[in-house]
Amino acid sequence: MKYYSTNHIAPEATLQTAVTKGLAPDKGLYMPERINAFDPAFFDEMTGLSLQEVSYRVADKFFGEDIDRDTLKALVYDTMAFDIPLVKVTDTIWSLELFHGPTLAFKDVGARFMARLLSHFIRKEGEGEVNVLVATSGDTGSAVANGFLDVEGINVFVLYPKGLVSEIQEKQFTTLGKNITAIEIDGTFDDCQRLVKQAFLDEDITVKLTLTSANSINVARFLPQSFYYFWGVAQLKNRGVTDRIVCSVPSGNFGNITAGLFGQKMGLPVSRFIAANNRNDIFYNYLKSGSYEPKPSVATIANAMDVGDPSNFARVLDLYSSSYGSIKENITAYTYTDSQISETLRTVWQENKYLLDPHGATGYRALQEGLKDGETGFFIETAHPAKFLQTVEGIITEKFEIPDKLQEFMKGEKKVVALSSEFGDFKSFLLD
Ligand SMILES: *Cc1c(COP(=O)(O)O)cnc(C)c1O
């Protein structure tokens, strides 16, 4: 399978190039040249398969030409070695809980897959070590660091702004050691991102070190996210819901929802999608007006969705040949303020005894407001509420239990390299 760039200038790339480069040389995002559809019989068959097997069948449609069967199967089974239960919240609204992985957020799926795929390529090519640079404002760093932990041939450098991530988030990538180095930058998230970008452009560094990035523009992080949409539908079918299924996705950079749209193109019976936004309502405004206007992001309590220029919007456009009409027909958007998010979280806790996290709360509320008669929906619960402990406890005015997995991270000892926000310092550190 070849991968083309959404800017259509760069030459087509192999899977290996698309994964190791991340972004196309013309700054576009890589897209698979074909989206292989399933035979309709598969959607009945999948209700009897495991999460790992469903995921493998989907992976085979994307990666089957490039990776031999046994390797791909092992890689997918290993990636998907945790539960993704579908939990009933109301008669028509279900939660697809993507927070049972190692760092309790949906990003575990893409990060684990990418780590294993990259390691496969390194072994196959007998290449030297690969260095993964990732700037994080919290969640991405932990998923990537844990996904790549102990993966041979790969070193990970997580850059994060000193004092600006929560204690739990920080512990998830500063206590691992081994092939993971946490770099505390005396600056902001934007400084971290600038340092990473500059490193990719610096020849002294790139002649010496093989660098790659692990954010959601990378096809190996983004495509595997389609696996769990199939799993959500399979579980709903097993509960007797067979049609008029709506998916609601708390969205920031739009990688998650775009993977769902790919699933739908493969034939997955989802009748339409909802993109739930916080106050960063770029996509909501696009659907309203037809014009895409990025803005600086604003801080909200659903902070992983604070994105002012969603990078995967380019993929959404490309998927629908830039047809505003087709996009609008299939996707509806909602936008919520912090007080609406808090109110939803509190009400669902009191009335349904279901504890949402602030991101999932946007997805739930959009379904509650958007479902039509006869439709059933599931939203992606993108992270465990304990990852946002202070916020959530403040809203429900109760204490709740932190899962053991998170407690374990809290016990570890923090080890970091502290650097200024000057590129020179980061460069000398890398070259050492
Ligand atoms: C990253 C993230 C999102 C946003 O996902 P996108 O793929 O960027 O749209 C939503 N919720 C949580 C908890 C996240 O970590």
Side-chain angles (χ1 to χ4, degrees):
M1 178 92 77
K2 288 278 193 287
Y3 289 80
Y4 66 87
S5 159
T6 51
N7 284 343
H8 300 280
I9 298 166
E12 287 189 330
T14 60
L15 174 63
Q16 180 166 353
T17 303
V19 172
T20 40
K21 295 278 180 260
L23 201 64
D26 61 5
K27 306 265 188 292
L29 276 66
Y30 281 118
M31 294 280 276
E33 62 178 339
R34 264 175 294 112
I35 298 177
N36 296 322
F38 279 101
D39 182 306
F42 172 71
F43 300 109
D44 291 325
E45 187 195 348
M46 74 176 178
T47 58
L49 304 178
S50 65
L51 166 63
Q52 286 162 315
E53 185 60 23
V54 168
S55 302
Y56 164 67
R57 301 289 184 95
V58 179
D60 182 52
K61 294 282 183 199
F62 289 118
F63 310 115
E65 293 165 25
D66 298 299
I67 307 168
D68 73 82
R69 196 191 144 83
D70 291 345
T71 305
L72 182 61
K73 196 160 186 164
L75 203 153
V76 172
Y77 269 60
D78 192 32
T79 299
M80 303 304 284
F82 49 84
D83 274 354
I84 303 181
L86 184 75
V87 175
K88 189 171 185 167
V89 184
T90 73
D91 282 345
T92 52
I93 301 179
W94 300 70
S95 170
L96 187 63
E97 295 185 345
L98 261 302
F99 58 69
H100 297 271
T103 73
L104 294 88
F106 81 93
K107 290 186 174 76
D108 282 329
V109 172
R112 287 166 65 84
F113 185 86
M114 183 183 162
R116 284 153 184 77
L117 186 61
L118 204 52
S119 145
H120 161 72
F121 285 138
I122 291 170
R123 275 196 306 264
K124 202 181 88 187
E125 302 296 308
E127 263 183 47
E129 296 197 320
V130 173
N131 299 284
V132 175
L133 304 186
V134 59
T136 185
S137 56
D139 265 3
T140 302
S142 52
V144 168
N146 284 274
F148 284 80
L149 182 64
D150 280 329
V151 177
E152 226 173 288
I154 299 178
N155 299 313
V156 178
F157 299 92
V158 181
L159 285 76
Y160 74 103
K162 180 179 175 178
L164 297 178
V165 305
S166 80
E167 195 191 349
I168 288 179
Q169 285 175 323
E170 188 179 41
K171 287 275 186 179
Q172 286 186 311
F173 54 80
T174 59
T175 59
L176 300 168
K178 298 182 182 168
N179 60 331
I180 313 295
T181 306
I183 305 179
E184 183 187 65
I185 298 295
D186 194 2
T188 62
F189 170 65
D190 293 339
D191 290 321
C192 299
Q193 212 158 21
R194 171 178 53 80
L195 293 174
V196 168
K197 281 191 182 150
Q198 226 168 321
F200 280 96
L201 298 173
D202 189 291
E203 280 196 16
D204 297 336
I205 298 176
T206 54
V207 295
K208 209 171 158 201
L209 303 170
T210 306
L211 299 183
T212 188
S213 111
N215 51 23
S216 73
I217 56 164
N218 199 303
V219 288
R221 255 199 69 193
F222 144 75
L223 286 174
Q225 295 173 164
S226 58
F227 302 166
Y228 47 74
Y229 288 88
F230 288 79
W231 179 241
V233 170
Q235 289 183 89
L236 212 46
K237 281 186 146 201
N238 282 332
R239 307 313 221 289
V241 180
T242 53
D243 66 347
R244 304 196 62 194
I245 295 170
V246 180
C247 284
S248 173
V249 190
S251 295
N253 242 335
F254 279 68
N256 197 357
I257 194 170
T258 306
L261 298 170
F262 269 72
Q264 192 189 33
K265 291 262 181 197
M266 295 160 90
L268 184 70
V270 169
S271 56
R272 61 191 186 91
F273 280 83
I274 291 177
N277 283 166
N278 57 24
R279 280 202 301 126
N280 295 281
D281 53 4
I282 318 304
F283 188 73
Y284 172 85
N285 286 329
Y286 165 75
L287 288 187
K288 212 162 71 174
S289 69
S291 79
Y292 178 77
E293 284 164 28
K295 305 188 272 205
S297 63
V298 291
T300 76
I301 57 169
N303 62 1
M305 289 156 51
D306 295 349
V307 178
D309 185 6
S311 38
N312 286 287
F313 182 71
R315 285 193 169 117
V316 177
L317 273 184
D318 196 86
L319 205 54
Y320 294 93
S321 315
S322 301
S323 161
Y324 170 62
S326 316
I327 294 173
K328 215 175 139 128
E329 213 170 281
N330 192 38
I331 314 172
T332 318
Y334 290 83
T335 168
Y336 298 114
T337 62
D338 277 0
S339 70
Q340 289 173 312
I341 294 171
S342 306
E343 180 195 53
T344 306
L345 204 151
R346 188 182 310 113
T347 311
V348 174
W349 173 239
Q350 286 168 352
E351 293 178 3
N352 306 89
K353 285 287 152 232
Y354 190 81
L355 190 57
L356 295 160
D357 95 290
H359 306 79
T362 66
Y364 173 89
R365 182 157 177 156
L367 275 179
Q368 192 194 32
E369 294 182 0
L371 277 184
K372 303 188 185 110
D373 281 346
E375 287 182 331
T376 303
F378 67 83
F379 64 96
I380 310 285
E381 183 37 293
T382 48
H384 193 284
K387 291 195 90 170
F388 311 94
L389 192 70
Q390 274 92 4
T391 306
V392 175
E393 286 187 342
I395 294 171
I396 60 172
T397 61
E398 276 177 51
K399 296 253 176 236
F400 64 95
E401 207 144 321
I402 303 176
D404 293 345
K405 248 184 266 176
L406 268 188
Q407 306 262 26
E408 279 305 309
F409 284 113
M410 300 306 287
K411 289 183 200 148
E413 193 198 334
K414 171 176 155 181
K415 280 194 227 87
V416 297
V417 174
L419 293 179
S420 76
S421 62
E422 298 291 327
F423 180 66
D425 283 350
F426 181 48
K427 178 170 171 173
S428 331
F429 171 76
L430 280 181
L431 291 175
D432 260 1

